[in-house]
Amino acid sequence: MPTLAHYLLVSGLLFSLGLAGVLLRRNILIIFMGLELMLNAANLSLVAFSRFNLLPNGLPNYNAQVLVFFIITVAAAEVAVGLAIIVALFRAKQTTHVEDLNTLKF
Amino acid sequence: MQLALFWIFSILMLAFALGVVFLRNPVSSAMSLVMTFVALAAVFVTLDAFFIAVVQVLVYAGAVMVLFLFIIMLLDLRAEKQRKVRPSAWLGGGLVVGGFMAAITQVVAGWPALHHTKPELSDPSFNDVAGVGFTLFRDFNLPFQIIGVLLLVATVGVVLLSRKELK
């Protein structure tokens, strides 16, 4: 049977891959996908904690699953707004490459 | 059996996540991301979180990824494929990711409470959706309403942002 440590390590690996995507890739859409991977890694830890720390009545701790539900909702709203911003950016600058977007650079 | 399923879907999930980061074509990255989300939903099922698994497939693998693919096809992204990653980015990324994984392994290895297997559920045929629903509507009613307002604000914001002329 998998232990909580297994789930936390897999979640950590998923988070690292998302972080690597944000740090290594220069396409703003792929950076956004890396953010989604990191949010999902956090969800995996929360669901694992909910299953491994049962309530006194012997059922999973649903507070964590409700938090995951809220995270999924906020992530969906975030994706919609972020992609609208990317489209507006593409209309203005004709690029999705972050190194071409240096207007605010000092 | 459950350990085997856990490893199969975890390795599948991590392999497709690698694909998201290292494939050069944005459409391939997006398709890998869909498969990552589906495999993650399977991992949720091994944790008896059936409702969250279904929501994961519906919202992430369905709605969010359709939005992503739609935007990728709206913007013509073929010119981005040739760019190289700078060595300093490789170095920085490797350092940060390696340090993070080292920290997590250290914490997990030095905490014996994390190495117990799953405790048995008191009622193996429990109703997962009812549990989430009761918690959501009884203990978290106010946050639930606030999240509705957040979705409304996001919708209005997206409509405003995607108009032709931004003022």
Side-chain angles (χ1 to χ4, degrees), chain A residues 21-39:
Chain A
V22 171
L23 290 173
L24 293 181
R25 298 299 299 264
R26 303 281 72 152
N27 186 335
I28 199 161
L29 274 163
I30 310 287
I31 290 178
F32 222 63
M33 292 182 195
L35 288 179
E36 294 304 311
L37 281 183
M38 288 197 277
L39 280 170

Side-chain angles (χ1 to χ4, degrees), chain B residues 87-155:
Chain B
S88 61
W90 277 109
L91 190 67
L95 274 179
V96 171
V97 169
F100 178 75
M101 271 323 287
I104 286 223
T105 343
Q106 190 115 42
V107 169
V108 167
W111 198 353
L114 297 182
H115 295 275
H116 299 302
T117 53
K118 274 193 288 195
E120 284 298 319
L121 291 172
S122 62
D123 174 16
S125 62
F126 71 112
N127 192 339
D128 186 56
V129 181
V132 175
F134 274 125
T135 317
L136 185 61
F137 289 110
R138 202 166 43 199
D139 304 341
F140 294 90
N141 205 331
L142 182 65
F144 182 70
Q145 316 248 354
I146 293 173
I147 221 99
V149 177
L150 174 83
L151 282 177
L152 177 69
V153 171
T155 315

Side-chain angles (χ1 to χ4, degrees), chain B residues 33-167:
Chain B
L33 195 54
V34 175
M35 289 314 294
T36 310
F37 289 156
V38 173
L40 183 59
V43 176
F44 285 160
V45 170
T46 69
L47 285 165
D48 300 309
F50 305 106
F51 176 70
I52 294 296
V54 170
V55 167
Q56 171 88 10
V57 172
L58 278 181
V59 176
Y60 266 119
V64 167
M65 290 321 296
V66 167
L67 210 58
F68 258 108
L69 282 171
F70 196 71
I71 297 299
I72 289 173
M73 288 170 193
L74 199 69
L75 321 174
D76 195 15
L77 292 183
R78 251 162 292 156
E80 306 283 346
K81 276 199 276 178
Q82 271 79 19
R83 310 250 190 166
K84 277 256 181 273
V85 178
R86 280 177 310 160
S88 61
W90 277 109
L91 190 67
L95 274 179
V96 171
V97 169
F100 178 75
M101 271 323 287
I104 286 223
T105 343
Q106 190 115 42
V107 169
V108 167
W111 198 353
L114 297 182
H115 295 275
H116 299 302
T117 53
K118 274 193 288 195
E120 284 298 319
L121 291 172
S122 62
D123 174 16
S125 62
F126 71 112
N127 192 339
D128 186 56
V129 181
V132 175
F134 274 125
T135 317
L136 185 61
F137 289 110
R138 202 166 43 199
D139 304 341
F140 294 90
N141 205 331
L142 182 65
F144 182 70
Q145 316 248 354
I146 293 173
I147 221 99
V149 177
L150 174 83
L151 282 177
L152 177 69
V153 171
T155 315
V156 174
V158 168
V159 171
L160 207 69
L161 272 172
S162 39
R163 285 202 313 190
K164 252 291 185 271
E165 69 287 345
L166 275 176
K167 292 196 184 95

Side-chain angles (χ1 to χ4, degrees), chain A residues 79-97:
Chain A
V79 165
V81 174
L83 287 178
I85 291 176
I86 290 174
V87 170
L89 200 66
F90 190 80
R91 279 210 192 113
K93 301 266 183 183
Q94 307 301 319
T95 181
T96 56
H97 201 262

